């Protein structure tokens, strides 16, 4: 950090504008799956805490609390707390559209599409630990039929883990994004962009409102660059090419 001198700081405003809306802080809470594994209040408590502070909360598709319950908890703490919804894209687009419609009703202002995991990476730690949701918990926003659908290839523990991504579209491509934006009616944020080329392509793609620099916490591809390492080239790639470049935002 290189501090600057002789700047007026008598009144400090940390707010930032993203996707045409003003947010109180340039900091938010990223989508985290299955939060009730850590505490029974899980997603409800996290959303309520963000709402009280006016911080952005991104609801996760793979949550252990329904969207509606999470939104209700946030509104009870401070009505109108900013929120987005993160989703994986299903082969059956009607399922994605239905989730997006629920997100809109819950006050979400953007759809965050995770694009770095069309199939599940090899989760060796989860395999060793025989990861499973404890009794009484479920992926509350995903239908049982989707959760039971075939996921990534492989046998044994990996196959069991892959059931969590049942129905996800492994053939999602750039050409799918404009259709997806029209289908959901929400600004689309692509989460999982780490290269100059993908950022430049995103800036040229209709329907993309922003890119989110993310390596899925290193769990999808263990040799992927760290996000701070990737940030400069993503900023460089996303900065040009779009007719209205000022609308291109890097998160």
């Amino acid at each position: 950090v290189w501090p600057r001198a002789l700047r007026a700081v008598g009144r400090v405003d940390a707010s930032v504008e993203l996707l045409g809306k003003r947010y109180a802080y340039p900091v938010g809470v990223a989508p985290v799956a299955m939060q009730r594994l850590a505490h029974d209040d899980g997603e409800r408590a996290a959303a309520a805490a963000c709402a009280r502070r006016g911080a952005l909360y991104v609801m996760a598709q793979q949550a252990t609390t329904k969207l509606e319950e999470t939104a209700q908890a946030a509104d009870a703490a401070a009505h109108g707390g900013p929120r987005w919804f993160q989703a994986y894209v299903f082969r059956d687009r009607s399922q994605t559209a239905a989730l997006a419609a629920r997100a809109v009703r819950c006050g979400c202002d953007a759809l965050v599409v995770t694009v770095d995991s069309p199939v599940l990476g090899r989760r060796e730690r989860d395999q060793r630990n025989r990861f499973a949701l404890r009794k009484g918990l479920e992926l509350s926003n995903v239908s049982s039929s989707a959760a039971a659908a075939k996921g990534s290839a492989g046998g044994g523990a990996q196959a069991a883990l892959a059931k969590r991504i049942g129905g996800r579209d492994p053939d999602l491509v750039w050409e799918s994004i404009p259709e997806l934006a029209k289908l959901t009616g929400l600004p689309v944020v692509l989460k999982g962009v780490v290269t100059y080329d993908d950022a430049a392509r995103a800036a040229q793609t209709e329907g993309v409102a922003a890119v989110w620099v993310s390596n899925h916490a290193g769990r999808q591809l263990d040799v992927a660059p760290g996000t701070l390492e990737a940030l400069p080239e993503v900023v460089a790639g996303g900065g040009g090419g779009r007719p209205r470049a000022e609308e291109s935002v890097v998160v």
Side-chain angles (χ1 to χ4, degrees):
V1 177
W2 297 90
R4 299 294 300 273
L6 295 174
R7 304 283 172 162
V9 293
R11 181 178 180 182
V12 177
D13 180 5
S15 66
V16 62
E17 185 173 318
L18 292 175
L19 310 185
K21 291 185 178 290
R22 179 64 57 176
Y23 295 87
Y25 308 102
V27 177
V29 173
V32 178
M34 302 174 251
Q35 293 181 38
R36 289 186 62 203
L37 284 171
H39 191 281
D40 283 342
D41 290 340
E43 293 86 358
R44 291 188 296 270
C50 285
R52 281 192 290 268
R53 292 295 181 181
L56 175 65
Y57 179 74
V58 185
M59 299 181 178
Q61 175 182 300
Q62 303 292 82
T64 41
T65 306
K66 289 182 179 179
L67 282 168
E68 294 79 5
E69 295 174 5
T70 303
Q72 185 178 25
D75 286 338
H79 186 73
R83 64 200 69 144
W84 294 354
F85 175 59
Q86 174 272 332
Y88 299 94
V89 178
F90 289 108
R91 290 188 186 94
D92 181 355
R93 293 292 193 270
S94 67
Q95 291 186 341
T96 300
L99 274 173
R102 289 172 58 193
V104 170
R105 291 194 294 271
C106 289
C108 294
D109 296 318
L111 178 69
V112 179
V113 177
T114 298
V115 296
D116 60 7
S117 49
V119 296
L120 188 69
R122 187 170 178 81
R123 304 288 175 86
E124 294 182 348
R125 181 178 297 178
D126 287 348
Q127 291 181 48
R128 287 195 300 269
N129 295 334
R130 299 191 179 192
F131 173 82
L133 286 171
R134 69 172 182 264
K135 187 176 180 180
L137 296 184
E138 63 179 359
L139 299 179
S140 301
N141 296 316
V142 183
S143 69
S144 57
S145 59
K150 183 180 179 181
S152 303
Q158 179 70 12
L161 291 169
K163 287 182 179 179
R164 298 193 318 234
I165 67 162
R168 195 179 299 179
D169 187 356
D171 295 315
L172 188 71
V173 292
W174 287 103
E175 290 75 16
S176 307
I177 303 302
E179 173 197 2
L180 187 65
K182 292 177 183 177
L183 183 68
T184 63
L186 287 171
V188 172
V189 179
L190 300 184
K191 181 176 182 290
V193 174
V194 293
T195 67
Y196 177 99
D197 290 340
D198 280 348
R201 181 70 180 268
Q204 296 277 2
T205 300
E206 180 184 354
V208 176
V211 295
W212 185 320
V213 184
S214 170
N215 65 2
H216 219 99
R219 295 177 299 122
Q220 182 65 13
L221 181 64
D222 58 6
V223 294
T227 51
L228 283 179
E229 182 182 1
L231 182 60
E233 71 169 270
V234 173
V235 172
R242 171 176 288 195
R244 291 176 293 179
E246 70 275 10
E247 294 183 5
S248 182
V249 181
V250 177
V251 179

